[in-house]
Amino acid sequence: MFEEASEVFDNMFKSSFPLTFIVFIPAVLILVSPLPAEAAHEFTVYRMQQYDLQGQPYGTRNSILNTEARTMEADVLSRRCVLMRLADFSFDKYQKALRQSAGAVVIMLPKNMSAMPQDVLQQFMELEPDMLTTETIVPVYFAIEDDELLSIYTQTLTSSSSQGSLSAAEGMSVSAAQTEALGRLTGVGGEDLPTIVLVAHYDSFGVAPWLSYGADSNASGVSMLLELARLFSKLYTYKRTHAAYNLLFFVSGGGKFNYQGTKRWLEDNLDHTDASLLQDNVAFVMCLDTVGNGDSLHLHVSKPPKEGTPQSSLLKELEMVISSQYPEVKFSMVHKKINLADDMLAWEHERFGIRRLPAFTLSHLPSHRSVQRSSIMDVRPHVDVKRLGRNTKVVAEALARVIYNLTEKGAPGDLQIFTEQMQVQEEQLSAVVEWLTAQPRAAQLVDKDSSVVSTLEYHLGRHLKDVKRHYVKADKRDPEFVFYDQLKQTMNAYRVKPAIFDLLLAVCIATYLGLMYLAIQVSGCESVQHPRGGGGAFLPVCLLLPVLQFPQTLATHTLAQVRHEWRRYKHTEINSCTRSK
């Protein structure tokens, strides 16, 4: 290929140098002079959620894009990739892009979320549920800002042209599976002992799965559960402190998808087995959800506990511990009935309540509608380790007072059990939260081989007995939830000439060649031929002088002198050939 190209250039320069100079050089100058095309940046983007829950679609439905880039300041957004910065994002602008049939939307997020103003973060968290519930055909992506991406945004903002293309084909696959891990501490003193179940779901949720770190919801709940398992395992090690209660610790999956993991686990243990972990004698189920911040604690219940029941005892013990040891904490019970007509349950304890098990959820949030529970803005700084440690100690002290019946034995409210070697370790709590928030834990990304589940199983196994992992797979014929892939891709952005440039270039070349042809046909100038090349190109000599701008020694010649020099040169060639013969 290279040899053929070399021959072509040699023939062009040897046989018809003027023609090459006229046609080839100007074309090259036209191509390279106005806007040099150069690759700008390759960066990772994260697609918005796409899933089906009980037949209802959520999130964006497409993933392919190959369009020019624009910002919201552009008048026309149709078939354009709209770039938005988080600081400038609003639902009205987002809806405008969808109404104008934008080719795609890319929302740029800062590297450090905590550096953003709180009102901006709060506004975006409030908009995330609306973005997911709005039917979106347009591909929606999120990208983390860097210097090159900001440069692209600045150029696009000043009407420079960009083109983004996704380097992967559109596709989807079902990933409908959840995994749970659980372990227990067996009580002593009889066969049919009451069981206390402590539950926390480990998965996170947000508008983009790969950006969902779920720090407060619910890394804080999992961290508290593991610390409670460590504390009570020490108490259950010695006969003197071995209580007459079974403690069951359950880390569930699919919590953000209507608590599907808990639902299937309950079905397996209540409907399909005789040797169930959940017998009739369940004292209560305590779910831990969003407990890593705030100066308040709320016990969310579906039915107020009856006097004399274990759940009523726990409520009183929580009130006593908080009032006597942590008066700065505001404690209250929030009653909300289960609404089976809703597509989504409010709290995880409602899954147990539907099966007539006494259950409640402890959280520092006063309502299940808090946007903080399902946001990509729920990152590590949202967890205050000191408050998480304080809340862990409140729960531990209240549980200990229940299982050891300390109030009826006359123990004062300010009695602290977990002190010195038995105290809550804030370093341990912080380490677990750091580990969980170092990786996205959206349900689509966590399968049975995930390091999240295996590590949780390992930590539970250090302190508990009979630690098991349950793998739950959705029914293929009628799945309640379906996940789709293509959630993390690489996007290529290029700084290129406008699309109209190709058309303009073709018109310019056609016009140029047409003028050359007409000049040759119409002009009365004499044409000359290179004497050595058979079939060489004919050129009008009168066109060579102004177009090619020959050196001064040639430019000063008149047309007659050029003709004279040509004849003389041709005669010299003929004589040279005669002598050689």
Side-chain angles (χ1 to χ4, degrees), residues 13 15 37 63 67 72 80-81 90 124 128 187 274 278 280 364-365 422 452 455 468 488 528 548 555:
F13 280 99
S15 63
S63 61
T67 60
M72 288 303 302
R80 302 293 191 271
C81 178
S90 69
F124 183 80
E128 282 187 68
D274 295 331
L278 296 176
D280 294 334
H364 73 79
L365 298 176
M422 290 287 295
V452 173
T455 306
K468 298 179 181 179
K488 180 181 180 181
V528 298
L548 301 180

Side-chain angles (χ1 to χ4, degrees), residues 447-521:
D447 55 20
K448 63 179 181 179
D449 299 321
S450 172
S451 62
V452 173
V453 179
S454 59
T455 306
L456 288 173
E457 183 182 13
Y458 167 76
H459 279 284
L460 289 174
R462 293 177 58 190
H463 310 295
L464 307 177
K465 297 179 180 179
D466 301 327
V467 176
K468 298 179 181 179
R469 184 194 304 191
H470 289 261
Y471 179 62
V472 179
K473 193 172 183 179
D475 188 355
K476 293 183 178 180
R477 293 172 297 179
D478 187 22
E480 294 188 43
F481 56 100
V482 179
F483 300 149
Y484 297 85
D485 60 5
Q486 302 292 340
L487 299 176
K488 180 181 180 181
Q489 299 294 339
T490 299
M491 185 176 290
N492 298 311
Y494 300 96
R495 183 174 182 267
V496 297
K497 297 178 177 66
I500 199 174
F501 175 78
D502 293 336
L503 177 62
L504 179 61
L505 178 62
V507 171
C508 291
I509 293 176
T511 303
Y512 175 75
L513 295 178
L515 291 175
M516 291 293 297
Y517 176 79
L518 291 176
I520 294 173
Q521 296 294 325

Side-chain angles (χ1 to χ4, degrees), residues 17 54 62 197 386 449 551:
F17 172 74
Q54 297 177 349
N62 286 321
V197 185
K386 291 190 176 299
D449 299 321

Side-chain angles (χ1 to χ4, degrees), residues 297-316:
L297 283 175
H298 304 279
L299 196 68
H300 297 270
V301 300
S302 302
K303 185 183 297 184
K306 295 181 180 180
E307 189 69 28
T309 59
Q311 55 267 35
S312 175
S313 299
L314 179 67
L315 176 61
K316 293 178 180 179

Side-chain angles (χ1 to χ4, degrees), residues 80-151:
R80 302 293 191 271
C81 178
V82 181
L83 298 179
M84 299 183 189
R85 296 190 67 186
L86 179 62
D88 305 324
F89 179 84
S90 69
F91 195 66
D92 291 339
K93 293 181 180 179
Y94 177 73
Q95 288 284 56
K96 175 185 175 183
L98 299 185
R99 286 196 302 269
Q100 293 195 18
S101 301
V105 176
V106 177
I107 301 173
M108 300 165 54
L109 305 175
K111 286 184 178 179
N112 186 7
M113 294 285 191
S114 59
M116 290 292 294
Q118 287 301 315
D119 57 338
V120 175
L121 297 179
Q122 184 66 25
Q123 179 189 16
F124 183 80
M125 286 192 292
E126 292 174 356
L127 296 178
E128 282 187 68
D130 295 332
M131 294 174 65
L132 285 175
T133 54
T134 302
E135 183 178 0
T136 307
I137 306 300
V138 175
V140 180
Y141 284 91
F142 296 84
I144 305 299
E145 291 180 353
D146 55 19
D147 294 338
E148 286 84 358
L149 190 55
L150 287 174
S151 176

